[in-house]
Amino acid sequence: MNAISYLILTRMKNTLRNLLRSPAKLIYVLILAAAMGFTFFAGNLETDPNRPLRDVRELIAGVGGLCTLMFLLLAYSGFGAGGSFFRMPDVNLIFPAPFPQRSVLLYGLIQQAGSSMLLGFFMLFQYTWMHELYNISFGFLLILMLAYGASVFLGQFVAMVLYVATSADERRRRIARILYVCYIALILCLAAAYVLPDLDAWAKGLVAAANSPLFFASPVSGWLTYLVSGILTCTLSDCLIALGLLVGVTGLLFALIQRLGSDFYEDVIKTAETAQSAINASRQGAVAETTPARVKVGKTGFSRGMGAAAIYEKHKLEDRRSRVLILDKMSLIWVVMVILFGFFMKEEGLIPVFVMATYFQFFSVSMGRFNRELTKPYIYLMPEPPLRKMLHALRESLPAAVLEAIVMFVPLYFIMGFPLAELVCAILARISFSLLFLAGNVVLMRIWHGRSSKMFTMLLYFGIMLLLMLPGILLVIMALAASQVLALAVVSEIALSFVILTISNTLFGLLALFLCRNMLQYAELSES
C-alpha cells in the first residue's frame, strides 16, 4: 500500500471513529437515516393505479437544468477567488513530502469527489414525489444524486483550472470569459429555438430542448444529462459515449493542472490559507462571510441612520454590493430550484411547492447577516436599548424576504395557474416564515451561541423551529377539520391554511423576539 492510499483509508477510518464517539453526530445520523427510511416507505405505498404517469423527459430536463446551473455558478468562481481541493493540513503534510505531483493531485481529486457526492444527498429525500409522478426506482435516484455531485465536482475542478491558468495573465482571463459567455449564449439560443415557435407551449419546448441531441452534446452538464438519459432508457451506447466524454474532460483538466506546475501549488497554498482562516474563525464563534475579490463598490458610506439604525443602513449597503440583479446569488439559486420544482409539480397543487420553498428557506435564513453581527463588538457597545439594536439588525431581512417571495411565487402563479388569492396568501405566509426562522435563530443564539458542538447546535435548531411551527400547523389541521365537520363553505382551503400560518408565525415570532429582547445587553461570545 502506497502512502497516498494509506492517507485516504486512514482518513475514512478516523471519520467513522469520530462519528461513533460523538453522541451528537450519531444522533444526527440516526435522525437522517430515520427520515430516509420514512421517505422510502412513503414512496412505496400503494397509489391510484389509474393515475397517469408524467413524461419522464421532464425529469431529465430538470436534471439538465440543475446540473447546468451548478456547473456555471461554480466554474465562474474561477474568475475570482478560485478553488482548491486541499486543506491546510494537506498542504503542511503532503506538499513537502517526496510524493509525485500526479499522486498528490489524485489524492485531492478523490477527496473532493467524495465531498461533492455528499452535496447531492438532499435529492434522496425527493424519492416520494418522484416515484409517484415518474415511477422511478430508488437506485435511479442514486444515479441522479451522483450526476448532481459530478456537476459540482467538475464545476469546482474547472474553477481551479481557470484560476490557476488566468489569474496572472489578463489576456487569458479575457479569452476564458469570452468562452464562458459563448457557452451560456449557446444554451440560451438552444432553448429559444425550441420555445419561440410556440410560446403557448413554452414548457414543452424547454423539455424538448433539454432532451435534444444538441444539448446532450454541450460540455459537462449536457454530457451528464446524456448519461442519465442513457441509463433511464437502458441504451448502452449512450451511456458509454457520455461516460467517455466525462472521463476525457476530467483527464484533460488533470493534464492541464500538471502542466501548470508550480503555479498550481502556489495558488493552492493561498486558497488553503484563506479557507483555514475561515475555519479558525468559525471555531472561535465567528461566522464566515465570503468576500469576492472584486467588490462592486459604487457609492461608499451612508448619510442616514442614527444610533442603532446605522446597522440597518450598513446591511443595505452590503446587500447592494453582494446581489446579482435584485437578489443575491444564493437567493437566485433557491428561487430557480423552487420554480423548477413547481413546474414538475404543477398538477399536484401549491402545497408541495410551498413546503419545498419553506425547506430551502430554513437554511437560507440561518446564513443571514444577523449571525455575523453578533461576532462584532460594536453592536454590544452601542448606547441603545438591546431590543432596538436587535430589531434594526433584523430589519434588513424582511424586505429581502418580501422581494424573494414575490420573485418566487409570481412565476409559479403563471406556471401552475392557482387562484390569485392563493398567490397573495402564499407570499404573506412565506414572509411570516422568514420572521419565524429569524426568531428561531435569535432563540438558538440566546441559549447556545458560541458552543463547540456543531451537530448538537443543528439538532437544537431543528427542535426550536419545530416548536415554533407546531402551533400554526395544529391550528391549520383543526380549522380544516372544523370546516368539514360543520360543512362550512370555504373559498379556498389552501388560502385559509396560509392565512392561519401567517397569523401564527407572526405572533410566535414576535413573542420569541420579545422574550430574547435583552440578548444584546452583554457580549456572551465564547472564544473556545
Side-chain angles (χ1 to χ4, degrees):
M1 180 186 297
N2 59 39
I4 298 297
S5 301
Y6 172 78
L7 285 174
I8 295 174
L9 293 176
T10 302
R11 183 176 178 182
M12 293 173 59
K13 181 178 66 176
N14 290 338
T15 301
L16 181 60
R17 186 176 295 172
N18 291 334
L19 175 64
L20 296 176
R21 291 178 178 178
S22 174
K25 293 180 180 179
L26 193 57
I27 293 173
Y28 186 68
V29 171
L30 291 176
I31 291 176
L32 287 179
M36 182 61 61
F38 176 78
T39 302
F40 183 76
F41 174 76
N44 286 282
L45 291 176
E46 292 186 5
T47 56
D48 185 4
N50 297 321
R51 179 177 180 174
L53 296 175
R54 295 181 64 91
D55 186 359
V56 76
R57 298 194 311 159
E58 295 177 354
L59 185 60
I60 296 174
V63 172
L66 183 59
C67 290
T68 302
L69 178 66
M70 295 307 300
F71 175 74
L72 288 174
L73 289 174
L74 291 170
Y76 185 76
S77 64
F79 298 111
S84 175
F85 292 166
F86 299 92
R87 300 181 303 171
M88 207 60 201
D90 299 327
V91 171
N92 294 330
L93 178 64
I94 298 177
F95 280 21
F99 297 145
Q101 180 181 352
R102 183 188 300 270
S103 298
V104 173
L105 183 56
L106 186 60
Y107 169 77
L109 290 176
I110 294 173
Q111 180 176 257
Q112 187 61 34
S115 301
S116 299
M117 296 306 158
L118 288 176
L119 291 177
F121 185 74
F122 75 94
M123 296 187 69
L124 299 181
F125 292 96
Q126 317 309 317
Y127 174 71
T128 301
W129 67 270
M130 284 188 178
H131 178 73
E132 183 178 357
L133 295 182
Y134 301 102
N135 195 31
I136 66 170
S137 64
F138 193 79
F140 183 73
L141 189 60
L142 289 175
I143 299 297
L144 299 184
M145 185 190 78
L146 294 177
Y148 174 82
S151 68
V152 173
F153 168 73
L154 289 172
Q156 292 171 329
F157 203 176
V158 169
M160 185 169 65
V161 173
L162 283 176
Y163 180 72
V164 176
T166 65
S167 59
D169 191 327
E170 188 60 32
R171 179 173 169 273
R172 289 182 181 179
R173 184 184 292 270
R174 285 197 297 268
I175 295 173
R177 285 184 180 275
I178 291 172
L179 293 175
Y180 184 85
V181 172
C182 289
Y183 180 81
I184 297 177
L186 288 174
I187 298 295
L188 294 178
C189 289
L190 176 61
Y194 281 85
V195 171
L196 292 180
D198 188 1
L199 291 176
D200 293 333
W202 61 269
K204 293 182 178 179
L206 287 177
V207 172
N211 286 269
S212 65
L214 289 176
F215 180 71
F216 288 163
S218 61
V220 183
S221 60
W223 300 341
L224 285 169
T225 311
Y226 189 28
L227 178 61
V228 171
S229 175
I231 295 174
L232 186 63
T233 58
C234 299
T235 307
L236 181 60
S237 59
D238 292 349
C239 296
L240 292 177
I241 293 173
L243 194 59
L245 290 170
L246 292 169
V247 172
V249 75
T250 305
L252 177 61
L253 295 173
F254 188 88
L256 287 174
I257 285 292
Q258 281 192 299
R259 185 177 180 83
L260 293 170
S262 60
D263 292 340
F264 162 70
Y265 285 103
E266 292 174 1
D267 290 319
V268 162
I269 292 173
K270 177 183 175 182
T271 53
E273 287 176 346
T274 303
Q276 187 63 37
S277 299
I279 292 173
N280 292 337
S282 178
R283 288 173 178 172
Q284 294 176 359
V287 180
E289 181 174 8
T290 303
T291 304
R294 296 183 179 181
V295 180
K296 295 184 298 182
V297 177
K299 178 184 175 182
T300 59
F302 43 87
S303 57
R304 296 187 301 174
M306 296 295 293
I311 302 174
Y312 171 64
E313 298 298 330
K314 170 178 172 288
H315 288 174
K316 284 174 56 180
L317 187 63
E318 292 171 343
D319 283 344
R320 179 178 61 80
R321 293 178 177 178
S322 65
R323 66 180 174 231
V324 180
L325 299 177
I326 58 176
L327 295 175
D328 60 80
K329 187 181 297 184
M330 287 307 302
S331 295
L332 281 176
I333 294 175
W334 301 130
V335 168
V336 171
M337 291 179 69
V338 171
I339 292 175
L340 287 174
F341 184 77
F343 170 71
F344 294 125
M345 299 291 288
K346 58 185 177 182
E347 296 180 1
E348 305 301 315
L350 183 56
I351 292 297
V353 181
F354 186 84
V355 171
M356 178 61 70
T358 306
Y359 172 76
F360 288 144
Q361 189 181 19
F362 181 86
F363 296 100
S364 63
V365 172
S366 65
M367 298 183 291
R369 297 193 181 279
F370 180 73
N371 301 26
R372 296 190 285 270
E373 288 299 336
L374 296 182
T375 66
K376 302 169 185 176
Y378 60 79
I379 195 170
Y380 301 96
L381 300 176
M382 281 184 176
E384 295 273 357
L387 181 59
R388 178 179 171 82
K389 292 189 288 186
M390 178 190 295
L391 292 178
H392 278 291
L394 296 171
R395 181 180 166 190
E396 165 268 340
S397 302
L398 292 181
V402 173
L403 184 60
E404 184 178 325
I406 293 174
V407 172
M408 181 179 294
F409 283 102
V410 169
L412 289 172
Y413 169 72
F414 292 102
I415 293 173
M416 303 180 69
F418 48 79
L420 182 61
E422 293 183 7
L423 169 65
V424 176
C425 294
I427 292 175
L428 293 176
R430 181 172 172 82
I431 296 170
S432 71
F433 270 107
S434 295
L435 174 62
L436 191 72
F437 291 154
L438 285 171
N441 255 325
V442 172
V443 173
L444 174 68
M445 295 185 180
R446 183 66 183 89
I447 63 178
W448 194 252
H449 184 65
R451 308 303 172 93
S452 58
S453 179
K454 302 303 180 184
M455 285 295 179
F456 186 81
T457 301
M458 183 61 68
L459 290 175
L460 186 60
Y461 183 46
F462 275 107
I464 291 171
M465 294 316 308
L466 286 175
L467 288 176
L468 291 176
M469 290 188 292
L470 188 59
I473 295 173
L474 292 178
L475 287 173
V476 168
I477 295 174
M478 293 170 59
L480 294 180
S483 65
Q484 293 179 358
V485 171
L486 300 177
L488 298 177
V490 179
V491 177
S492 172
E493 292 185 350
I494 296 178
L496 175 63
S497 302
F498 286 152
V499 170
I500 295 173
L501 286 174
T502 301
I503 296 173
S504 174
N505 292 344
T506 303
L507 291 177
F508 281 91
L510 293 175
L511 177 61
L513 292 177
F514 178 77
L515 294 177
C516 298
R517 61 189 179 279
N518 292 326
M519 177 181 175
L520 298 179
Q521 188 169 359
Y522 304 104
E524 297 176 345
L525 299 181
S526 171
E527 297 297 331
S528 59

